[in-house]
Short mmCIF file of all heavy atoms in Angstrom, two decimals:
data_model
loop_
_atom_site.label_atom_id
_atom_site.label_comp_id
_atom_site.label_asym_id
_atom_site.label_seq_id
_atom_site.Cartn_x
_atom_site.Cartn_y
_atom_site.Cartn_z
N VAL A 17 -164.29 -17.65 82.58
CA VAL A 17 -165.46 -16.89 82.26
C VAL A 17 -165.71 -16.96 80.77
O VAL A 17 -166.80 -17.27 80.31
CB VAL A 17 -165.31 -15.43 82.72
CG1 VAL A 17 -166.33 -14.53 82.10
CG2 VAL A 17 -165.34 -15.34 84.25
N LEU A 18 -164.72 -16.64 80.04
CA LEU A 18 -164.88 -16.59 78.54
C LEU A 18 -165.06 -18.02 77.99
O LEU A 18 -165.84 -18.26 77.02
CB LEU A 18 -163.69 -15.98 77.82
CG LEU A 18 -163.48 -14.46 78.16
CD1 LEU A 18 -162.23 -13.97 77.57
CD2 LEU A 18 -164.72 -13.62 77.78
N GLY A 19 -164.47 -19.00 78.64
CA GLY A 19 -164.66 -20.38 78.19
C GLY A 19 -166.05 -20.81 78.46
O GLY A 19 -166.60 -21.61 77.64
N VAL A 20 -166.70 -20.44 79.54
CA VAL A 20 -168.12 -20.73 79.76
C VAL A 20 -169.00 -20.16 78.74
O VAL A 20 -169.84 -20.85 78.18
CB VAL A 20 -168.55 -20.32 81.17
CG1 VAL A 20 -170.08 -20.31 81.30
CG2 VAL A 20 -167.87 -21.13 82.27
N LEU A 21 -168.81 -18.89 78.35
CA LEU A 21 -169.57 -18.30 77.30
C LEU A 21 -169.43 -19.01 76.00
O LEU A 21 -170.43 -19.22 75.22
CB LEU A 21 -169.20 -16.83 77.19
CG LEU A 21 -169.47 -15.96 78.42
CD1 LEU A 21 -168.84 -14.56 78.24
CD2 LEU A 21 -170.95 -15.80 78.70
N GLN A 22 -168.21 -19.34 75.63
CA GLN A 22 -167.95 -20.10 74.43
C GLN A 22 -168.72 -21.41 74.38
O GLN A 22 -169.34 -21.81 73.39
CB GLN A 22 -166.45 -20.29 74.21
CG GLN A 22 -166.09 -20.81 72.81
CD GLN A 22 -164.59 -21.01 72.69
OE1 GLN A 22 -164.02 -22.01 73.17
NE2 GLN A 22 -163.97 -20.03 72.02
N ASP A 23 -168.62 -22.11 75.54
CA ASP A 23 -169.31 -23.41 75.63
C ASP A 23 -170.82 -23.30 75.53
O ASP A 23 -171.51 -24.31 75.16
CB ASP A 23 -168.90 -24.13 76.95
CG ASP A 23 -167.45 -24.64 76.91
OD1 ASP A 23 -166.83 -24.60 75.87
OD2 ASP A 23 -166.96 -25.03 77.99
N ARG A 24 -171.33 -22.14 75.91
CA ARG A 24 -172.83 -21.92 75.80
C ARG A 24 -173.24 -21.56 74.36
O ARG A 24 -174.42 -21.32 74.10
CB ARG A 24 -173.22 -20.85 76.72
CG ARG A 24 -173.11 -21.26 78.23
CD ARG A 24 -173.47 -20.11 79.15
NE ARG A 24 -173.32 -20.58 80.58
CZ ARG A 24 -173.48 -19.76 81.63
NH1 ARG A 24 -173.62 -18.45 81.47
NH2 ARG A 24 -173.36 -20.26 82.85
N GLY A 25 -172.31 -21.51 73.46
CA GLY A 25 -172.65 -21.30 72.07
C GLY A 25 -172.45 -19.81 71.61
O GLY A 25 -172.73 -19.53 70.39
N PHE A 26 -171.95 -18.97 72.42
CA PHE A 26 -171.75 -17.57 71.96
C PHE A 26 -170.40 -17.45 71.24
O PHE A 26 -169.42 -18.17 71.49
CB PHE A 26 -171.79 -16.67 73.20
CG PHE A 26 -173.12 -16.64 73.92
CD1 PHE A 26 -173.20 -17.11 75.24
CD2 PHE A 26 -174.21 -16.10 73.31
CE1 PHE A 26 -174.41 -17.11 75.90
CE2 PHE A 26 -175.45 -16.09 73.92
CZ PHE A 26 -175.56 -16.59 75.21
N HIS A 27 -170.32 -16.46 70.40
CA HIS A 27 -169.07 -16.14 69.69
C HIS A 27 -168.36 -15.09 70.60
O HIS A 27 -168.85 -13.96 70.65
CB HIS A 27 -169.33 -15.61 68.31
CG HIS A 27 -170.02 -16.60 67.36
ND1 HIS A 27 -171.43 -16.65 67.24
CD2 HIS A 27 -169.53 -17.62 66.64
CE1 HIS A 27 -171.67 -17.64 66.39
NE2 HIS A 27 -170.59 -18.27 66.00
N VAL A 28 -167.23 -15.51 71.08
CA VAL A 28 -166.58 -14.60 72.02
C VAL A 28 -165.05 -14.51 71.73
O VAL A 28 -164.45 -15.34 71.05
CB VAL A 28 -166.68 -15.07 73.53
CG1 VAL A 28 -168.20 -15.09 73.97
CG2 VAL A 28 -166.12 -16.46 73.66
N GLY A 29 -164.50 -13.36 72.12
CA GLY A 29 -163.09 -13.15 71.94
C GLY A 29 -162.58 -12.09 72.93
O GLY A 29 -163.36 -11.50 73.68
N LEU A 30 -161.30 -11.92 72.90
CA LEU A 30 -160.67 -10.94 73.84
C LEU A 30 -159.66 -10.20 73.07
O LEU A 30 -158.84 -10.65 72.32
CB LEU A 30 -160.00 -11.66 75.02
CG LEU A 30 -159.14 -10.80 75.95
CD1 LEU A 30 -159.98 -9.92 76.75
CD2 LEU A 30 -158.28 -11.73 76.80
N VAL A 31 -159.60 -8.85 73.25
CA VAL A 31 -158.64 -7.89 72.70
C VAL A 31 -158.14 -7.07 73.88
O VAL A 31 -158.93 -6.41 74.58
CB VAL A 31 -159.19 -7.01 71.60
CG1 VAL A 31 -158.07 -6.16 71.03
CG2 VAL A 31 -159.81 -7.86 70.49
N THR A 32 -156.83 -7.08 74.14
CA THR A 32 -156.29 -6.38 75.30
C THR A 32 -154.85 -5.99 75.07
O THR A 32 -154.10 -6.61 74.30
CB THR A 32 -156.39 -7.35 76.55
OG1 THR A 32 -155.82 -6.68 77.70
CG2 THR A 32 -155.64 -8.61 76.37
N ASP A 33 -154.38 -4.93 75.75
CA ASP A 33 -153.01 -4.58 75.77
C ASP A 33 -152.23 -5.29 76.94
O ASP A 33 -151.15 -5.02 77.16
CB ASP A 33 -152.80 -3.14 75.86
CG ASP A 33 -153.49 -2.42 76.97
OD1 ASP A 33 -154.24 -3.11 77.72
OD2 ASP A 33 -153.38 -1.19 77.14
N GLY A 34 -152.89 -6.26 77.48
CA GLY A 34 -152.33 -7.05 78.59
C GLY A 34 -151.86 -8.40 78.22
O GLY A 34 -151.90 -8.76 76.98
N ARG A 35 -151.59 -9.24 79.16
CA ARG A 35 -151.08 -10.65 78.96
C ARG A 35 -152.16 -11.63 79.34
O ARG A 35 -152.97 -11.37 80.24
CB ARG A 35 -149.85 -10.89 79.75
CG ARG A 35 -148.59 -10.09 79.39
CD ARG A 35 -147.38 -10.53 80.13
NE ARG A 35 -147.49 -10.43 81.57
CZ ARG A 35 -147.27 -11.26 82.50
NH1 ARG A 35 -147.00 -12.55 82.16
NH2 ARG A 35 -147.37 -10.99 83.83
N MET A 36 -152.09 -12.74 78.69
CA MET A 36 -152.88 -13.88 79.17
C MET A 36 -151.87 -14.92 79.74
O MET A 36 -150.71 -14.90 79.41
CB MET A 36 -153.68 -14.52 78.03
CG MET A 36 -154.91 -13.72 77.62
SD MET A 36 -156.14 -13.55 78.93
CE MET A 36 -156.88 -15.21 78.95
N SER A 37 -152.42 -15.86 80.50
CA SER A 37 -151.53 -16.88 81.07
C SER A 37 -150.94 -17.77 79.99
O SER A 37 -151.51 -17.96 78.92
CB SER A 37 -152.38 -17.71 82.10
OG SER A 37 -151.63 -18.81 82.46
N GLY A 38 -149.81 -18.39 80.26
CA GLY A 38 -149.34 -19.42 79.42
C GLY A 38 -150.25 -20.57 79.33
O GLY A 38 -150.13 -21.45 78.37
N ALA A 39 -151.18 -20.71 80.31
CA ALA A 39 -152.16 -21.82 80.29
C ALA A 39 -153.45 -21.44 79.56
O ALA A 39 -154.30 -22.34 79.55
CB ALA A 39 -152.40 -22.23 81.70
N SER A 40 -153.55 -20.28 79.01
CA SER A 40 -154.77 -19.87 78.35
C SER A 40 -154.87 -20.65 77.05
O SER A 40 -153.91 -21.11 76.51
CB SER A 40 -154.83 -18.39 78.07
OG SER A 40 -153.73 -18.01 77.28
N GLY A 41 -156.06 -20.79 76.53
CA GLY A 41 -156.19 -21.69 75.38
C GLY A 41 -157.27 -21.44 74.43
O GLY A 41 -157.07 -20.85 73.39
N LYS A 42 -158.52 -21.95 74.73
CA LYS A 42 -159.46 -22.19 73.66
C LYS A 42 -160.25 -20.92 73.19
O LYS A 42 -160.92 -21.04 72.18
CB LYS A 42 -160.48 -23.24 74.12
CG LYS A 42 -161.38 -22.75 75.30
CD LYS A 42 -162.34 -23.94 75.68
CE LYS A 42 -163.30 -23.49 76.74
NZ LYS A 42 -164.18 -24.66 77.14
N VAL A 43 -160.16 -19.80 73.85
CA VAL A 43 -160.85 -18.57 73.43
C VAL A 43 -159.94 -17.75 72.57
O VAL A 43 -158.79 -17.47 72.96
CB VAL A 43 -161.33 -17.79 74.65
CG1 VAL A 43 -161.93 -16.47 74.18
CG2 VAL A 43 -162.34 -18.65 75.41
N PRO A 44 -160.30 -17.28 71.36
CA PRO A 44 -159.46 -16.47 70.52
C PRO A 44 -159.23 -15.14 71.15
O PRO A 44 -160.08 -14.52 71.74
CB PRO A 44 -160.28 -16.36 69.18
CG PRO A 44 -161.69 -16.53 69.61
CD PRO A 44 -161.69 -17.52 70.73
N SER A 45 -157.91 -14.68 70.92
CA SER A 45 -157.61 -13.43 71.58
C SER A 45 -156.55 -12.70 70.80
O SER A 45 -155.81 -13.29 70.03
CB SER A 45 -157.12 -13.63 73.02
OG SER A 45 -155.95 -14.44 72.96
N ALA A 46 -156.50 -11.39 70.97
CA ALA A 46 -155.33 -10.57 70.45
C ALA A 46 -154.83 -9.88 71.72
O ALA A 46 -155.49 -9.04 72.36
CB ALA A 46 -155.83 -9.53 69.42
N ILE A 47 -153.66 -10.27 72.10
CA ILE A 47 -153.05 -9.79 73.37
C ILE A 47 -151.73 -8.97 73.11
O ILE A 47 -151.28 -8.93 72.00
CB ILE A 47 -152.78 -10.96 74.28
CG1 ILE A 47 -151.73 -11.97 73.62
CG2 ILE A 47 -154.06 -11.64 74.67
CD1 ILE A 47 -151.35 -13.07 74.56
N HIS A 48 -151.26 -8.36 74.17
CA HIS A 48 -150.04 -7.58 74.06
C HIS A 48 -150.17 -6.40 73.09
O HIS A 48 -149.21 -5.95 72.54
CB HIS A 48 -148.81 -8.38 73.62
CG HIS A 48 -148.56 -9.61 74.39
ND1 HIS A 48 -147.57 -10.52 74.14
CD2 HIS A 48 -149.13 -10.15 75.56
CE1 HIS A 48 -147.51 -11.57 75.01
NE2 HIS A 48 -148.50 -11.30 75.87
N MET A 49 -151.41 -5.95 72.85
CA MET A 49 -151.64 -4.93 71.87
C MET A 49 -150.89 -3.65 72.22
O MET A 49 -150.96 -3.16 73.39
CB MET A 49 -153.14 -4.60 71.71
CG MET A 49 -153.95 -5.84 71.18
SD MET A 49 -153.56 -6.33 69.55
CE MET A 49 -154.12 -5.00 68.57
N TRP A 50 -150.24 -3.03 71.24
CA TRP A 50 -149.59 -1.78 71.47
C TRP A 50 -149.70 -0.93 70.15
O TRP A 50 -149.95 -1.47 69.15
CB TRP A 50 -148.08 -1.97 71.89
CG TRP A 50 -147.14 -2.41 70.79
CD1 TRP A 50 -146.84 -3.72 70.44
CD2 TRP A 50 -146.30 -1.62 70.03
NE1 TRP A 50 -145.94 -3.69 69.46
CE2 TRP A 50 -145.56 -2.47 69.15
CE3 TRP A 50 -146.11 -0.23 69.91
CZ2 TRP A 50 -144.66 -1.96 68.25
CZ3 TRP A 50 -145.18 0.26 69.04
CH2 TRP A 50 -144.46 -0.64 68.18
N PRO A 51 -149.63 0.41 70.30
CA PRO A 51 -149.39 1.18 71.56
C PRO A 51 -150.34 0.87 72.60
O PRO A 51 -151.54 0.71 72.37
CB PRO A 51 -149.39 2.63 71.11
CG PRO A 51 -149.24 2.60 69.56
CD PRO A 51 -149.86 1.29 69.15
N GLU A 52 -149.88 0.74 73.87
CA GLU A 52 -150.81 0.45 74.92
C GLU A 52 -151.70 1.61 75.20
O GLU A 52 -151.35 2.78 74.87
CB GLU A 52 -150.05 -0.08 76.21
CG GLU A 52 -149.15 0.97 76.88
CD GLU A 52 -148.65 0.45 78.22
OE1 GLU A 52 -149.41 0.38 79.17
OE2 GLU A 52 -147.42 0.13 78.29
N CYS A 53 -152.78 1.40 75.87
CA CYS A 53 -153.80 2.47 76.06
C CYS A 53 -153.27 3.65 76.83
O CYS A 53 -153.67 4.80 76.52
CB CYS A 53 -155.03 1.77 76.80
SG CYS A 53 -155.87 0.65 75.74
N ILE A 54 -152.43 3.42 77.80
CA ILE A 54 -151.97 4.61 78.58
C ILE A 54 -151.09 5.52 77.73
O ILE A 54 -150.92 6.64 78.07
CB ILE A 54 -151.16 4.11 79.81
CG1 ILE A 54 -151.20 5.23 80.87
CG2 ILE A 54 -149.73 3.68 79.51
CD1 ILE A 54 -150.73 4.72 82.26
N ASP A 55 -150.55 5.01 76.62
CA ASP A 55 -149.86 5.94 75.65
C ASP A 55 -150.73 6.36 74.55
O ASP A 55 -150.29 6.79 73.51
CB ASP A 55 -148.67 5.11 74.98
CG ASP A 55 -147.53 4.96 76.00
OD1 ASP A 55 -147.44 5.76 76.92
OD2 ASP A 55 -146.73 4.06 75.89
N GLY A 56 -152.08 6.29 74.72
CA GLY A 56 -153.01 6.71 73.70
C GLY A 56 -153.30 5.73 72.60
O GLY A 56 -153.70 6.08 71.52
N GLY A 57 -153.02 4.45 72.92
CA GLY A 57 -153.31 3.40 71.89
C GLY A 57 -154.70 3.36 71.43
O GLY A 57 -155.63 3.77 72.21
N PRO A 58 -154.91 2.80 70.25
CA PRO A 58 -156.25 2.85 69.66
C PRO A 58 -157.37 2.11 70.49
O PRO A 58 -158.53 2.40 70.38
CB PRO A 58 -156.09 2.30 68.25
CG PRO A 58 -154.76 1.50 68.34
CD PRO A 58 -153.95 2.20 69.30
#
């Protein structure tokens, strides 16, 4: 999904307290963010 948006010329990224696959690649991301949301993370 995000790869399609990037290929269409949009500036896209992902910020999450979750994981991406080891096969994820071309879309910039900030992952594993903590404190995680369930603990009141920002």
Side-chain angles (χ1 to χ4, degrees):
V17 167
L18 297 177
V20 167
L21 294 172
Q22 188 181 81
D23 289 349
R24 290 176 180 172
F26 297 114
H27 297 95
V28 297
L30 173 69
V31 181
T32 180
D33 54 357
R35 295 186 295 130
M36 287 295 285
S37 168
S40 60
K42 67 182 185 180
V43 175
S45 62
I47 61 176
H48 306 175
M49 297 295 291
W50 73 275
E52 65 171 289
C53 291
I54 203 167
D55 286 335

